């Protein structure tokens, strides 16, 4: 049986599949017709966020049993088409949660203490000490949009750094929020208005697409927005405008509506917006975890196990 892998995953997962007797084909450049040809005789397909697993892929892949997502978000996989074709979609929901939470905390500090901006100028030979006055997180309010696995880990870390926590998440109880020292607020606008820093941790769903637009950003007076969840949840043009000419102090983004981020994105023109190229899960430990978890699921599915 053939397992096609179209986004890079850790060798630990590839070795596990080979040891289980599968032919493992890696093709990280496959796109369009090449992807359709490569998947035609595949029994399993493994991806991260870089492969668009759409209806055409399921049409082409007659022997496909499972799509394994070596990570959390499955928004690059057409779940309805998978269901229509009887193909399992399995993600790896745990292995990169701590990496994503740590990256979120790093982005909060990068944004609030101007670390990338000051670093760049010092490397260019400029001692710009008096240009950067930062913001402490201590005694500030953190608004968490989505208190799931990653949101909870972020809550624990930033609570320990002296932040007050408020949460907007329509699917959790007050008691659940309280377990993380957070107050649940049942209105998004109220949660944004109460926050100095806002961090987003929801999936990208029809319900969350463009959830944060110019009206919501207006509520973040002198505040910071961090998005290490998914592009498309925040309106990028509105964010660039709100930081550049509006009330916001800054933003830090790891994810974008279109990836790779286009050279002409307005986000790149605003100095107070810190960007990283979707690095939230890019730690050695996280990549090994998700590769192994995904290989386990693929092997189980190809053996008709649950
Ligand atoms: P999760 O499913 O455990 O949690 C998501 C939370 O969002 C849930 O508590 C859910 O109730 C809540 N939610 C759903 N709809 C909502 C809405 N309309 N408003 C507010 N809350 C809502 O997911 P997770 O594992 O915590 O992952 C969170 C996000 O982080 C996902 O988008 C995932 O793809 C992304 N992620 C990114 C990276 C990265 O590399 N940057 C790494 C890991 C995860
Ligand atoms: C995820 O949803 O797990 C992230 O996108 C991590 C990744 O695979 O890059």
């Amino acid at each position: 049986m053939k397992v096609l892998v179209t986004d890079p995953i850790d060798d630990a997962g590839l070795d596990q599949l080979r040891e289980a007797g599968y032919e493992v084909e890696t093709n990280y450049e496959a796109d369009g017709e090449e992807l359709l040809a490569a998947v035609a005789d595949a029994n399993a397909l493994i991806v991260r966020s870089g492969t668009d697993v759409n209806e055409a892929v399921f049409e082409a892949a007659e022997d496909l049993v499972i799509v394994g997502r070596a990570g959390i978000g499955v928004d690059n996989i057409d779940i309805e088409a998978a269901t229509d074709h009887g193909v399992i979609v399995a993600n790896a929901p745990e292995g990169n949660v701590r990496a994503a939470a740590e990256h979120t905390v790093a982005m909060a500090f990068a944004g609030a203490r101007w670390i990338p901006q000051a670093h760049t100028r010092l490397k260019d030979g400029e001692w710009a000490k008096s240009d950067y006055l930062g913001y402490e997180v201590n005694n500030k309010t953190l608004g968490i949009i989505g208190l799931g696995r990653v949101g909870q880990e972020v809550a624990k870390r930033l609570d320990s750094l002296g932040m007050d926590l408020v949460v907007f998440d329509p699917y959790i109880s007050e008691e659940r929020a309280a377990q993380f020292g957070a107050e649940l607020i049942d209105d998004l606008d109220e949660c944004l208005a109460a926050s100095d820093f806002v961090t987003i941790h929801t999936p990208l769903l029809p319900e969350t697409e463009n959830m944060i637009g110019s009206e919501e950003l207006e509520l973040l007076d002198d505040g910071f927005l961090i998005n290490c969840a998914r592009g498309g949840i925040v309106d990028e043009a509105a964010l660039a405008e709100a930081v550049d000419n509006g009330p916001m102090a800054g933003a830090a983004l790891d994810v974008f509506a279109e990836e790779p981020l286009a050279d002409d994105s307005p986000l790149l023109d605003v100095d107070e917006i810190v960007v990283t190229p979707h690095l939230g899960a890019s730690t050695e430990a996280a990549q090994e975890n998700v590769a192994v978890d995904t290989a386990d699921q693929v092997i189980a599915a190809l053996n008709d196990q649950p």
Side-chain angles (χ1 to χ4, degrees):
M1 285 194 179
K2 170 172 141 180
V3 180
L4 175 68
V5 186
T6 55
D7 293 314
I9 67 162
D10 191 87
D11 282 346
L14 301 176
D15 291 345
Q16 200 174 330
L17 291 161
R18 289 189 187 105
E19 279 158 25
Y22 299 108
E23 176 199 339
V24 177
E25 180 181 314
T26 56
N27 187 340
Y28 304 145
E29 304 301 323
D31 211 356
E33 290 302 318
E34 192 186 336
L35 172 61
L36 300 186
V39 85
D41 61 345
N43 304 95
L45 171 65
I46 295 183
V47 300
R48 282 182 66 192
S49 58
T51 305
D52 180 14
V53 189
N54 53 31
E55 168 73 39
V57 172
F58 292 105
E59 282 285 334
E62 286 188 3
D63 300 326
L64 198 63
V65 173
I66 179 168
V67 179
R69 163 63 165 106
I72 294 171
V74 288
D75 42 281
N76 54 319
I77 302 168
D78 185 337
I79 306 287
E80 216 170 283
T83 306
D84 288 347
H85 287 82
V87 176
I88 299 165
V89 176
N91 69 350
E94 299 284 351
N96 66 26
V97 166
R98 281 153 300 278
E102 287 185 10
H103 196 69
T104 303
V105 174
M107 291 294 263
F109 281 116
R113 302 302 294 269
W114 314 116
I115 292 169
Q117 298 90 338
H119 167 92
T120 305
R121 287 179 67 184
L122 188 50
K123 289 271 180 169
D124 286 345
E126 218 185 325
W127 187 259
K129 180 172 163 78
S130 52
D131 285 357
Y132 295 110
L133 194 60
Y135 295 73
E136 286 175 25
V137 300
N138 184 46
N139 281 334
K140 298 287 195 322
T141 300
L142 175 71
I144 302 176
I145 314 299
L147 194 69
R149 292 181 183 88
V150 179
Q152 290 168 15
E153 293 299 318
V154 170
K156 285 190 223 164
R157 284 159 178 75
L158 287 171
D159 182 39
S160 75
L161 291 170
M163 297 197 86
D164 296 324
L165 309 183
V166 293
V167 164
F168 174 73
D169 187 328
Y171 304 105
I172 65 157
S173 63
E174 275 180 31
E175 292 72 25
R176 186 74 179 140
Q179 284 172 356
F180 293 89
E183 179 195 348
L184 186 67
I185 298 184
D186 64 7
D187 180 80
L188 175 62
D189 287 358
E190 275 179 38
C191 183
L192 296 174
S195 304
D196 302 299
F197 289 74
V198 167
T199 184
I200 298 172
H201 299 290
T202 67
L204 177 63
L205 303 166
E207 177 196 343
T208 59
E209 195 167 359
N210 285 321
M211 179 167 65
I212 310 281
S214 53
E215 284 174 21
E216 289 75 23
L217 294 168
E218 279 290 318
L219 301 168
L220 272 175
D221 195 16
D222 205 24
F224 280 91
L225 180 90
I226 303 145
N227 185 7
C228 293
R230 273 294 175 276
I233 298 172
V234 180
D235 179 333
E236 292 174 357
L239 178 65
E241 177 62 23
V243 177
D244 204 16
N245 300 314
M248 290 182 62
L253 307 174
D254 184 47
V255 287
F256 306 93
E258 295 293 333
E259 295 184 3
L261 183 62
D263 292 347
D264 61 355
S265 165
L267 298 167
L268 296 174
D269 295 332
V270 184
D271 194 40
E272 295 82 1
I273 298 181
V274 174
V275 288
T276 50
H278 204 143
L279 293 182
S282 295
T283 67
E284 281 181 22
Q287 285 313 305
E288 187 175 332
N289 292 341
V290 296
V292 167
D293 290 349
T294 304
D296 280 343
Q297 305 221 57
V298 165
I299 292 167
L302 294 180
N303 284 290
D304 279 336
Q305 287 165 3

